[in-house]
Amino acid sequence: MNNLITDVAGVLVGQAQDAGLASGVTAIIFETPAAASIAIHGGAPGVRDTALLEPEMGVGAVDALVLSGGSAFGLDAMGGVQAFLRERGRGYRVRDVVVPIVPGAILFDLANGGDKNWGRRPPYWDLGYAAAEAIAEPLALGTIGAGTGATTATLKGGLGSASALTSAGYTVGAIVAVNAVGSAMIGPGPHFWAAPFENAGEFGGLGLPAPWPADALFLRLKGDQPENTTIAVVATDAALDKAQAKRIAVMAQDGMALALRPAHALPDGDVVFAAATGRHLRPPDRRDLTESGATAATVLARAIARAIYEARALPFADALPSWRDRFAGLKTENR
Amino acid sequence: MNNLITDVAGVLVGQAQDAGLASGVTAIIFETPAAASIAIHGGAPGVRDTALLEPEMGVGAVDALVLSGGSAFGLDAMGGVQAFLRERGRGYRVRDVVVPIVPGAILFDLANGGDKNWGRRPPYWDLGYAAAEAIAEPLALGTIGAGTGATTATLKGGLGSASALTSAGYTVGAIVAVNAVGSAMIGPGPHFWAAPFENAGEFGGLGLPAPWPADALFLRLKGDQPENTTIAVVATDAALDKAQAKRIAVMAQDGMALALRPAHALPDGDVVFAAATGRHLRPPDRRDLTESGATAATVLARAIARAIYEARALPFADALPSWRDRFAGLKTENR
């Protein structure tokens, strides 16, 4: 176990980014098609090919899922991943052709200081293709992939991941690009809202603040425009159908509530995909499903904190500081 | 401010219950019709007349909202509240008739030890009428109304409420009947998951546990049947339309994530209604909406903890203990 979504059997991740653009793409590719669904709880979502993820729709599985920067221009990225998969014969078969099924979601990183003067053709299709080509282990976190240009209200955002085992032996992993309108921190200090769920110092081991900050509940917001969004994939090796995957996606959204304040606001496009690779042989019962959903929520909360903990500031004059810029050198203690 | 949903101008609450039945009804009645919507994030919801709450539907306002025990039999309760309102000329006008618009939701309390042998006609219509007749201030909490028969995995559930002011001066209140499949407590002890949001010792003032329980994240569950559900109304005096009310309902669902572990599981019918009485003269901007939603989440989390804190055990041999049964006499300290 590497505490990454790639701990889930059958899940591969590739990433590509452009430092000058200050944006990038993260492609989550399934070795074999995975049952998947979605929960959209934010007020400003940007998605592609997600209607088929509803339980009543006919396509049962996806070949990949894509998280991208670039706001609505980033919806090209899924096309690049499709091209990569088509060259390898992957996709939904319609007579003698294959159509790779690659839903995805974007976040807004157009105002982060990067050079967005890309001319006629946006760079996201090519970044999508490059991400799929760049499948690598171990998966790198922080200012990378779809998290390259991401920010929060007070600190640089980024790309995070985490994993856990359920009591029945299922692996549950999450990957997330954190670009929230709000903050993952309790007050102005170094402590994460996700601290009660932290595993083995994975985001600094500082635990909860003592004394409790007087302004812990003051809302730190970027602004009120639809320029935010936390986008995530949770995956499990359990054999779920699409309806079960949707239940996992809904429960996993609670991880945003546990790690970010606020979550699910009108200017946030918060989206969670849930995918099931079915590699685990034990059929899940209802209790397994509840535990998997609760685990998906805590794993996503941890992945959100790790995204911020691992991020580096963008190299621009007025860029937001990273968690490490602000709080490095603090003595860490495991609670 | 009484730290109750009735702090929101234009919101009245009446409750009725039957001790032998071990069930009851809570009616939230608006002095004038209120814009309202709904977010259903649980997997086993039981609702009545909620389709019209979607933003694209034509009816713009509701006369009352009802929370009831009785599982699907409790869906009669809304009819009793309608009868009460019709006698008073309240309702949606269709030429010279009025139709009171009274959506609502139920929770499962049929296996709590109460006498459910009611013969042909279930008691919920009459309990609904009685609840509307019993509008009272201050609103009583605990084992009352829709919370009469409610339980959680480890302790008696109940009826809770709380309120808060936003920085712009809007009042946000919540009322909730807590019947979760899981637990509101951190581990086996007396500390609530909602502790970071507690106001002035409203649920004991114990703060967070120290040391942190080793089994804090162990899932305490009633079982895996659809016999649970936390149902809530959040209300504000802001002038919201139905789409804005739906955004508040979605954000308020995060309060369940903050106060209950797990939330939103397949056997939970978790429903949040959001209603806006429009008594506050300042038109809400986008930031007000975000803050109102974030406040609705924390107010609902607090109301959930108060429901359990204020509850008394049912008078049956194998009834679950109440929080006070287990933890009364603990020295309280404000953090």
Side-chain angles (χ1 to χ4, degrees):
Chain A
M1 295 279 283
N2 292 312
N3 198 21
L4 298 168
I5 192 174
T6 44
D7 294 332
V8 178
V11 177
L12 308 171
V13 176
Q15 305 196 81
Q17 53 283 325
D18 179 317
L21 177 70
S23 188
V25 174
T26 298
I28 298 90
I29 296 177
F30 303 102
E31 290 181 338
T32 54
S37 193
I38 188 170
I40 302 176
H41 289 181
V47 295
R48 170 168 162 164
D49 214 9
T50 55
L52 59 78
L53 297 173
E54 297 304 325
E56 73 276 19
M57 301 301 182
V59 171
V62 302
D63 298 291
L65 294 165
V66 175
L67 308 178
S68 180
S71 187
F73 301 111
L75 295 173
D76 287 353
M78 298 80 193
V81 177
Q82 284 180 293
F84 173 89
L85 291 168
R86 179 170 177 265
E87 288 171 352
R88 283 149 188 83
R90 284 287 306 278
Y92 186 78
R93 295 195 172 270
V94 184
R95 290 199 293 275
D96 56 352
V97 298
V98 295
V99 182
I101 305 298
V102 184
I106 54 81
L107 58 82
F108 181 99
D109 58 2
L110 298 182
N112 64 1
D115 179 7
K116 315 298 183 183
N117 295 310
W118 51 61
R120 174 170 294 176
R121 186 187 299 273
Y124 289 96
W125 196 100
D126 291 311
L127 281 167
Y129 190 96
E133 266 193 315
I135 290 169
E137 286 210 61
L139 167 61
L141 306 183
T143 301
I144 193 167
T148 301
T151 55
T152 71
T154 56
L155 296 173
K156 177 75 179 75
L159 191 286
S161 188
S163 73
L165 274 175
T166 75
S167 62
Y170 300 114
T171 303
V172 178
I175 188 167
V176 61
V178 181
N179 191 52
V181 70
S183 170
M185 317 311 299
I186 303 172
H191 300 88
F192 289 92
W193 279 110
F197 313 102
E198 184 170 9
N199 184 25
E202 64 193 335
F203 42 90
L206 295 175
L208 289 161
W212 194 259
D215 64 348
L217 298 186
F218 178 78
L219 272 190
R220 290 164 175 83
L221 300 178
K222 276 182 200 171
D224 57 8
Q225 296 305 306
E227 54 178 277
N228 307 290
T229 285
T230 299
I231 49 179
V233 175
V234 296
T236 174
D237 54 0
L240 307 181
D241 61 25
K242 277 206 295 182
Q244 292 170 319
K246 181 147 191 128
R247 177 56 38 203
I248 299 295
V250 169
M251 293 183 75
Q253 284 276 13
D254 287 348
M256 295 202 196
L258 297 173
L260 296 168
R261 184 172 155 76
H264 306 134
L266 195 61
D268 273 321
D270 300 343
V271 169
V272 175
F273 298 92
T277 65
R279 297 291 184 90
H280 198 291
L281 296 179
R282 172 190 160 120
D285 61 21
R286 289 172 71 105
R287 194 191 190 288
D288 293 332
L289 190 66
T290 293
E291 188 185 349
S292 294
T295 303
T298 52
V299 168
L300 178 52
R302 293 163 45 204
I304 289 169
R306 290 189 85 192
I308 289 152
Y309 178 72
E310 297 287 352
R312 308 294 177 180
L314 292 171
F316 307 127
D318 57 350
L320 274 171
S322 70
W323 188 93
R324 284 170 198 237
D325 292 339
R326 290 286 313 281
F327 305 119
L330 284 173
K331 184 174 156 293
T332 64
E333 54 194 54
N334 287 307
R335 198 181 43 221
Chain B
M1 298 277 283
N2 292 312
N3 197 23
L4 298 168
I5 192 173
T6 44
D7 294 332
V8 178
V11 176
L12 307 171
V13 176
Q15 306 196 81
Q17 52 283 325
D18 180 317
L21 179 69
S23 189
V25 175
T26 299
I28 298 91
I29 296 178
F30 303 102
E31 290 182 338
T32 53
S37 193
I38 188 169
I40 303 176
H41 289 182
V47 296
R48 169 168 162 165
D49 214 9
T50 56
L52 59 80
L53 297 172
E54 296 304 324
E56 72 276 19
M57 301 302 182
V59 172
V62 302
D63 296 292
L65 294 165
V66 175
L67 308 178
S68 180
S71 188
F73 302 109
L75 295 173
D76 286 353
M78 298 79 193
V81 177
Q82 284 180 292
F84 173 89
L85 290 169
R86 178 170 178 267
E87 288 170 353
R88 284 148 188 84
R90 283 288 307 278
Y92 186 79
R93 293 193 174 272
V94 183
R95 291 200 291 275
D96 56 350
V97 298
V98 295
V99 182
I101 305 296
V102 184
I106 54 81
L107 59 80
F108 181 100
D109 59 1
L110 299 183
N112 65 1
D115 178 6
K116 315 298 182 182
N117 294 312
W118 52 61
R120 174 171 293 176
R121 186 186 299 273
Y124 289 96
W125 196 100
D126 291 310
L127 282 167
Y129 190 96
E133 267 193 315
I135 290 169
E137 285 208 62
L139 166 61
L141 307 183
T143 301
I144 193 166
T148 302
T151 56
T152 71
T154 57
L155 296 173
K156 177 74 179 76
L159 191 287
S161 189
S163 74
L165 275 175
T166 74
S167 61
Y170 299 114
T171 303
V172 178
I175 189 166
V176 61
V178 181
N179 191 52
V181 69
S183 171
M185 316 312 297
I186 304 173
H191 300 89
F192 290 91
W193 279 109
F197 313 103
E198 183 170 11
N199 184 25
E202 64 193 334
F203 41 89
L206 295 176
L208 289 162
W212 194 258
D215 63 348
L217 299 186
F218 177 78
L219 273 189
R220 290 166 175 82
L221 300 178
K222 277 182 200 171
D224 58 7
Q225 295 306 305
E227 55 178 274
N228 308 289
T229 285
T230 300
I231 49 180
V233 175
V234 296
T236 174
D237 54 1
L240 307 181
D241 61 24
K242 277 205 295 182
Q244 292 171 319
K246 181 148 190 125
R247 176 57 39 202
I248 299 295
V250 170
M251 292 182 75
Q253 283 276 13
D254 288 348
M256 294 200 196
L258 297 173
L260 295 167
R261 184 171 154 75
H264 305 136
L266 193 62
D268 272 322
D270 299 344
V271 169
V272 175
F273 298 92
T277 65
R279 297 290 184 92
H280 198 291
L281 296 180
R282 171 190 161 121
D285 61 20
R286 288 172 71 105
R287 195 193 189 289
D288 293 332
L289 190 66
T290 293
E291 188 184 350
S292 295
T295 304
T298 51
V299 168
L300 178 52
R302 292 163 45 204
I304 290 169
R306 290 189 87 192
I308 290 153
Y309 179 71
E310 297 287 352
R312 308 294 175 178
L314 291 171
F316 307 126
D318 56 351
L320 274 171
S322 70
W323 189 94
R324 285 171 198 236
D325 292 338
R326 289 287 312 283
F327 304 119
L330 282 173
K331 183 175 156 293
T332 65
E333 55 194 52
N334 287 309
R335 198 182 42 221

